[in-house]
């Protein structure tokens, strides 16, 4: 790359080889304005695509479908949990309400009984 630059400098010298005729830029803006005024503006009609026309409706439909799907899944999960709890009550022979509280589920998960929980809470 440097060899090419050296060759060009030796051949052409340091002078700028590009020249502009005298007074070229004096009338340049007026010539450009004349050329611009000769052309007429053309209005191009823009067509909106199907997606852009109904974008809001599609977003609303997606939100409704998501809400319906989430509700159906929630109801099914709740139904399965209540059936599992009913099976646990029947299997254990208890006559309680059949639904665990959050604390009872946590105690079953960590395999702690009331004595262990009281000891933990009291700091012993």
């Amino acid at each position: 790359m440097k060899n090419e630059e050296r060759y060009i400098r030796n051949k052409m010298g340091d002078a700028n080889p590009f020249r502009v005729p005298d007074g070229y830029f004096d009338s340049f803006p007026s010539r450009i304005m004349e050329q611009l005024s000769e052309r007429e503006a053309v209005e191009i009609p823009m067509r909106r695509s199907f997606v852009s026309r109904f974008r809001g409706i599609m977003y609303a439909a997606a939100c409704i479908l998501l809400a319906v799907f989430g509700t159906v899944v929630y109801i099914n999960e709740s139904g399965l949990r209540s059936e599992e709890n009913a099976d646990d009550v029947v299997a254990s022979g208890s006559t309680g309400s059949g639904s665990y509280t959050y604390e009872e589920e946590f105690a079953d998960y960590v395999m702690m009984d009331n004595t262990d929980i009281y000891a933990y809470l009291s700091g012993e």
Side-chain angles (χ1 to χ4, degrees), residues 18-97:
F18 303 104
R19 290 187 176 66
V20 177
D22 292 334
Y24 179 78
F25 287 109
D26 295 338
S27 61
F28 185 73
S30 60
R31 284 184 297 166
I32 293 296
M33 294 306 289
E34 288 173 10
Q35 290 176 359
L36 290 177
S37 64
E38 292 174 4
R39 297 181 190 169
E40 291 184 22
V42 178
E43 185 176 329
I44 300 172
M46 299 292 290
R47 275 195 257 161
R48 293 176 58 189
S49 67
F50 176 78
V51 174
S52 66
R53 277 189 230 157
F54 298 107
R55 182 172 289 157
I57 294 171
M58 290 181 358
Y59 287 155
C63 289
I64 290 170
L65 285 174
L66 182 65
V68 168
F69 179 74
T71 304
V72 168
V73 168
Y74 177 75
I75 290 172
N76 285 340
E77 287 293 320
S78 297
L80 291 176
R81 285 188 190 141
S82 64
E83 289 175 9
E84 289 173 359
N85 289 339
D87 291 342
D88 291 341
V89 169
V90 170
S92 66
S94 69
T95 58
S97 65

